[in-house]
Amino acid sequence: MTPEITAKPQHTNLGLSDGDVLRMYGYMVLARVLDERMWQLQRAGKARFVVSAPGHEGAQVAMVWPLDRERDWFVPYYRSLAACLVKGMTPTEILLSVLAKATDPSSGGRQMPGHYSSPRLRILSGSSTVGTQYPHAVGIAYAAKVRRTGEVVVVSIGEGGTSEGDWHEALNFAGVHRVPCIFCVENNRYAISVPLHKQMAVDSVAVRAAGYGMPGVSVDGCDVLEAYRVMREACERARRGEGPTLVEFRVERLSPHSSEDQQERYRSPEDLEAARRRDPLVRFGGYLRSVGLLDDTRDQALWARARREVDEATEAAERAPDPDPATLLRHVYHDPEPDRPADPVYWIPRE
């Protein structure tokens, strides 16, 4: 049966095909299912810590979709689950990190979960110190400009991170040197438990762009198509050599900050319910239904496929080997012979 059409398609005006928007929705579903599995593993005692991103999926898929997945760079933060999936990471690679396995491509099990990295996919490793990814991203973008590679850099952070000095220094340098960098801020209104009005004296992160001589755009991050339109324009602007753009995505945090948090202690039931009503999965799914691209049967099949993929990824990650304790300090200090079996503390004289 063909799904009922009740609205005029908007995505075609943005150059997106029917297949494109269904794949975008598919990534959002996959991220949500994978997110839920991460929590299950943590609650079962198999993962030490989880930092989660339900509610951010629509903004993140829209954020990465206009990029050249092979050539451009993405500098994530700890909630960038859906963005990293779109850039090319697999659910297995994500869960290898969650379970701290030796074959984890992000860090070999050394970093906390949520520190996504893939040299192969040009996803830069991040630090646990909030905001440090911004100067790193600007450095990559400056190099791309000097070398005339045509690469674009997208970097993301939560609005709480914009209170850090690194964030302001990076925007200042980028504005002066007109580097091809897009500064994304996923504003979910809470820096862990600190509400927005106690983080900044302005209502919007985007207005700060004027101080650095670049455009600033605030967009509803739960509106996937509008978020994509803004990001596509920012990417095109960067490729034309017109410099950086600051994009604020207004999103909802549907889960606690992390597995060590209980947001019901500082958010009212009304606030949480209002956030759930803005769930980007529900909204984008509703759009796809309105234009005849989705119905119950197709939606159920899509969710079932995501669950199978995550089940297979979980089995693969759980079978993977744990790191060798003898390699504990590898990559912490310079090791002149990293491939030689040796004492973990390399300054102990070797035999």
Side-chain angles (χ1 to χ4, degrees):
M1 178 182 296
T2 302
E4 182 182 2
I5 300 175
T6 60
K8 185 177 180 180
Q10 304 170 29
H11 58 278
T12 52
N13 296 332
L14 298 172
L16 294 169
S17 68
D18 293 351
D20 285 333
V21 289
L22 284 171
R23 283 192 292 276
M24 293 170 86
Y25 181 67
Y27 274 113
M28 293 168 65
V29 171
L30 179 61
R32 183 66 61 90
V33 173
L34 184 55
D35 205 307
E36 292 171 355
R37 179 58 50 85
M38 289 159 54
W39 277 87
Q40 291 166 357
L41 291 169
Q42 196 275 336
R43 292 302 193 237
K46 297 181 178 180
R48 292 286 296 172
F49 177 78
V50 166
V51 63
S52 198
H56 290 227
E57 298 97 337
Q60 293 185 10
V61 169
M63 185 186 303
V64 177
W65 205 262
L67 295 182
D68 182 321
R69 314 285 168 84
E70 295 182 357
R71 184 176 62 163
D72 293 333
W73 291 81
F74 180 58
V75 185
Y77 84 122
Y78 49 79
R79 293 200 200 283
S80 299
L81 176 59
C84 287
L85 289 174
V86 176
K87 194 69 168 70
M89 292 192 77
T90 67
T92 300
E93 290 174 328
I94 299 291
L95 292 178
L96 286 170
S97 170
V98 171
L99 298 179
K101 295 294 187 174
T103 50
D104 158 34
S106 291
S107 71
R110 288 170 168 76
Q111 268 281 25
M112 294 171 66
H115 290 63
Y116 305 110
S117 173
S118 174
R120 173 178 60 88
L121 299 169
R122 296 195 167 190
I123 299 174
L124 187 71
S125 177
S127 165
S128 295
T129 305
V130 173
T132 53
Q133 71 269 36
Y134 259 57
H136 297 163
V138 170
I140 298 171
Y142 184 65
K145 179 177 180 178
V146 171
R147 294 171 178 168
R148 300 181 180 179
T149 63
E151 299 161 4
V152 168
V153 182
V154 169
V155 56
S156 192
I157 198 170
E159 90 286 349
T162 67
S163 298
E164 297 289 341
D166 283 12
W167 188 84
H168 294 274
E169 293 167 17
L171 265 70
N172 187 58
F173 187 95
V176 170
H177 294 280
R178 315 298 293 168
V179 301
C181 189
I182 303 167
F183 300 103
C184 297
V185 178
E186 299 176 37
N187 180 0
N188 62 26
R189 301 178 288 118
Y190 287 93
I192 305 182
S193 61
V194 180
L196 188 64
H197 71 276
K198 290 187 177 180
Q199 299 178 45
M200 58 188 73
V202 293
D203 294 331
S204 166
V205 175
V207 302
R208 292 172 164 175
Y212 303 107
M214 67 181 73
V217 183
S218 183
V219 61
D220 182 356
C222 298
D223 183 336
V224 177
L225 295 182
E226 180 62 8
Y228 167 78
R229 182 190 67 77
V230 169
M231 277 302 295
R232 188 187 65 173
E233 291 180 4
C235 284
E236 291 172 349
R237 184 171 178 276
R239 293 197 198 285
R240 291 195 299 266
E242 297 176 12
T245 303
L246 172 61
V247 181
E248 174 190 30
F249 296 93
R250 301 189 307 278
V251 296
E252 300 295 339
R253 197 184 79 192
L254 302 180
S255 68
H257 168 72
S258 72
S259 53
E260 310 305 307
D261 179 35
Q262 185 180 358
Q263 65 179 347
E264 289 80 6
R265 298 180 65 180
Y266 54 85
R267 296 182 69 177
S268 68
E270 294 77 16
D271 182 30
L272 292 169
E273 178 56 31
R276 283 191 284 270
R277 286 198 298 269
R278 278 176 33 82
D279 187 336
L281 266 168
V282 175
R283 291 180 62 178
F284 198 41
Y287 167 77
L288 296 176
R289 287 171 184 268
S290 73
V291 297
L293 294 177
L294 193 70
D295 59 13
D296 288 347
T297 301
R298 294 178 182 180
D299 201 22
Q300 290 165 7
L302 201 151
W303 281 86
R305 186 175 64 188
R307 292 189 179 99
R308 284 196 301 274
E309 188 173 353
V310 171
D311 284 345
E312 293 169 0
T314 304
E315 293 174 7
E318 290 188 316
R319 287 197 306 268
D322 293 322
D324 180 355
T327 67
L328 177 64
L329 294 182
R330 185 172 293 172
H331 310 307
V332 175
Y333 302 98
H334 171 64
D335 187 340
E337 298 177 275
D339 296 327
R340 174 185 170 186
D343 295 317
V345 183
Y346 85 88
W347 57 81
I348 295 176
R350 299 172 188 271
E351 295 295 330

